[in-house]
Amino acid sequence: MMTTTLMQRACRRMLPQAMQRHDIIKTSCCKSLTSSFQYNHEQQQYSQEVVIGRSFHSSSSAAASQPSYHEAEAAHDKNNGHNELQTTTSCSFPYEEAYNPTKPDPNYPSLGPTTKLNLFQSINSALHTSLSTDPTAILFGEDVAFGGVFRTSQNLRDEFGQHRVFNTPLSENGIAGMAIGYASMGGTAIGEIQFADYIFPAMDQIVNEMAKFRYRSGNQWSCAGVTLRAPCGAVGHGGLYHSQSPEAYLCHTPGLVVVMPRGPRCAKGLLLSSIRCKDPVIFLEPKILYRSAVEEVPDADYEIPLGKAEIMQQGTDVTIVGWGAQLRRLQQACDLASKEGISCELIDLRTLLPWDSETIIRSVKKTGKLIVSHEAPITCGFGAEVAATLQQECFFHLEAPIQRVAGYDTPFPLVAEKYYLPDETKNLDAIKKVMELAK
């Protein structure tokens, strides 16, 4: 308790001075970040354009006529954060299709009027709703006041003021510590870790303070109002330090809730549930989807229950489980399998801790086969937990060995990213394998 009290007092004293120091250095930091993204963008040979639910790939010659990433950002800023989706160019990603479902989804009943949003706009809408409905809510992180690297906090400081939406020093450990201190006093703290790869300096605060805060006090204290958001996963040019998926590290920590949405519609509902949850939440946002995923998102304030998986597609032959951006590849694999007469049941976990084992168990007892797929390295990935649980609970129902299709046990490669990722072809091979073994 003494440590926590000192931390809270230190946050109150040091934050104004630290903010001034951050304002001095932010310009040079932003310039470095911008030049790095520009360099990576110029090395790409393709560009991707989202056009109302479809994705087009152009050759390098055609790409020259497309607006650059920064030109698209400038146009977005000029439009006050509302992209014209018909002409938005996303970060280059030559081997991925945008996830844009067009059929009505029975899992999302009508909630009134909707607006076509991409993922970052959906996150922005959820943050706006939270700040509007909760006067204690604050939003903070590196460059958050300027809209953030991915524009998820665009215009929020202008509407809610610099005391509720503000920048922090370049210290992930400090961001997590401040969130704990503020939430422990009864406030709602929404912190942003600029990239999930940078969450590791904050692990001491997350694992040893945030996750244990209620338990160690016998439920006398709480930091339930903490939500830490972090963009994660592959983006096409992120390399070693801007592409990682750290969910397995986080899911090994009792006391946390870990969430990863697959698209704009579920992202808004899941984020609002996370912010209002009575436990600290790590909300991982697949950054490749920020502009490539477009859906009709309800304008209303709505929540999607945490800890509940979603059956995206009913099937009878094989159960396929994934989360986040991987669902796009799995959907493509299921579509390819259907052309060969294989019926796949596709399930999105949505919440990884606690995860909905019951839904997966019911599905595997029906199909007799299971494939788990994720971007993170295969060894000790969260898919191993799913496979172990299902092996224990469904042993006598399994008709073939459980298959895991995941990233390789190497640092995330830059030039070899296309070969590293568990794409639809690798997953289709796994589907065929379990069907063959089950004969």
Side-chain angles (χ1 to χ4, degrees):
M1 185 171 181
M2 179 68 70
T3 302
T4 304
T5 302
L6 291 174
M7 176 181 65
Q8 293 165 359
R9 292 174 180 171
C11 284
R12 296 192 191 103
R13 288 198 305 268
M14 295 174 62
L15 186 60
Q17 294 152 1
M19 290 282 295
Q20 291 178 353
R21 291 196 298 272
H22 178 61
D23 287 339
I24 293 172
I25 65 174
K26 68 177 175 60
T27 304
S28 60
C29 291
C30 288
K31 286 182 178 178
S32 299
L33 181 64
T34 300
S35 61
S36 174
F37 271 98
Q38 182 66 39
Y39 173 80
N40 286 327
H41 174 79
E42 291 175 348
Q43 298 306 306
Q44 302 298 316
Q45 298 299 314
Y46 302 84
S47 66
Q48 183 183 47
E49 185 177 12
V50 178
V51 184
I52 312 183
R54 292 187 296 167
S55 173
F56 296 92
H57 300 295
S58 58
S59 65
S60 56
S61 59
S65 63
Q66 298 287 345
S68 71
Y69 176 83
H70 300 288
E71 289 171 339
E73 289 291 321
H76 164 70
D77 293 341
K78 185 177 180 181
N79 289 330
N80 294 321
H82 299 286
N83 279 345
E84 293 297 330
L85 296 176
Q86 295 89 337
T87 59
T88 299
T89 299
S90 69
C91 297
S92 302
F93 206 26
Y95 45 88
E96 287 292 346
E97 295 294 328
Y99 175 74
N100 298 298
T102 55
K103 297 180 181 179
D105 191 338
N107 291 296
Y108 295 87
S110 175
L111 292 168
T114 63
T115 302
K116 189 181 290 292
L117 301 177
N118 58 30
L119 181 62
F120 92 80
Q121 292 170 325
S122 175
I123 296 295
N124 182 274
S125 176
L127 294 173
H128 185 279
T129 298
S130 180
L131 291 165
S132 299
T133 58
D134 182 354
T136 73
I138 59 173
L139 175 64
F140 53 92
E142 298 162 11
D143 298 321
V144 162
F146 312 122
V149 171
F150 297 103
R151 298 298 185 263
T152 53
S153 55
Q154 184 78 21
N155 297 326
L156 295 180
R157 181 179 66 169
D158 294 341
E159 181 166 351
F160 296 101
Q162 61 182 353
H163 300 297
R164 298 186 65 195
V165 181
F166 51 88
N167 294 331
T168 65
L170 306 180
S171 171
E172 288 74 21
N173 198 43
I175 293 170
M178 178 183 169
I180 296 168
Y182 185 78
S184 71
M185 304 303 291
T188 299
I190 310 169
E192 179 182 299
I193 306 297
Q194 196 168 82
F195 287 87
D197 311 63
Y198 304 159
I199 204 168
F200 299 110
M203 288 296 275
D204 178 54
Q205 288 293 320
I206 293 171
V207 174
N208 287 326
E209 302 294 340
M210 185 186 300
K212 298 176 173 63
F213 207 83
R214 177 187 286 117
Y215 182 85
R216 70 175 184 171
S217 70
N219 203 30
Q220 296 181 68
W221 315 324
S222 173
C223 60
V226 173
T227 301
L228 291 183
R229 299 174 37 253
C232 68
V235 71
H237 53 246
L240 285 75
Y241 301 114
H242 297 84
S243 306
Q244 298 175 82
S245 297
E247 66 267 19
Y249 294 95
L250 299 163
C251 288
H252 197 63
T253 307
L256 296 179
V257 175
V258 181
V259 181
M260 189 186 300
R262 73 171 186 276
R265 191 164 45 199
C266 67
K268 181 177 178 180
L270 288 171
L271 182 52
L272 286 171
S273 292
S274 298
I275 293 170
R276 295 161 181 170
C277 180
K278 299 306 180 183
D279 290 293
V281 179
I282 310 296
F283 193 87
L284 299 172
E285 301 165 8
K287 54 184 172 289
I288 187 59
L289 302 183
Y290 275 138
R291 287 169 174 76
S292 65
V294 182
E295 294 176 325
E296 291 288 342
V297 178
D299 299 333
D301 179 348
Y302 66 99
E303 299 179 18
I304 294 176
L306 302 180
K308 182 65 178 175
E310 177 185 343
I311 300 176
M312 296 174 56
Q313 175 179 305
Q314 298 280 350
T316 57
D317 292 330
V318 57
T319 300
I320 303 178
V321 177
W323 49 89
Q326 189 64 12
L327 269 303
R328 296 181 301 156
R329 305 178 186 108
L330 295 178
Q331 183 67 71
Q332 292 168 357
C334 291
D335 293 343
L336 293 172
S338 67
K339 296 178 181 178
E340 302 189 24
I342 302 173
S343 174
C344 300
E345 182 147 296
L346 181 59
I347 301 177
D348 177 9
L349 281 185
R350 300 195 298 198
T351 304
L352 303 181
L353 187 69
W355 66 286
D356 183 4
S357 59
E358 294 181 1
T359 295
I360 315 303
I361 290 170
R362 284 195 299 269
S363 177
V364 173
K365 286 182 176 179
K366 175 177 66 174
T367 65
K369 295 171 280 294
L370 173 65
I371 296 170
V372 188
S373 185
H374 53 75
E375 278 188 20
I378 189 168
T379 298
C380 296
F382 191 72
E385 173 64 24
V386 176
T389 300
L390 271 295
Q391 181 77 6
Q392 176 179 313
E393 299 295 331
C394 299
F395 181 81
F396 295 106
H397 294 82
L398 289 172
E399 301 172 6
I402 296 172
Q403 301 295 306
R404 288 184 293 154
V405 186
Y408 297 119
D409 289 331
T410 69
F412 200 99
L414 177 59
V415 296
E417 179 174 318
K418 177 178 180 179
Y419 308 102
Y420 174 90
L421 292 174
D423 62 11
E424 62 276 12
T425 302
K426 294 178 183 177
N427 281 282
L428 179 61
D429 289 343
I431 294 171
K432 292 179 178 178
K433 181 178 180 178
V434 295
M435 293 301 295
E436 183 66 27
L437 290 171
K439 289 182 179 178

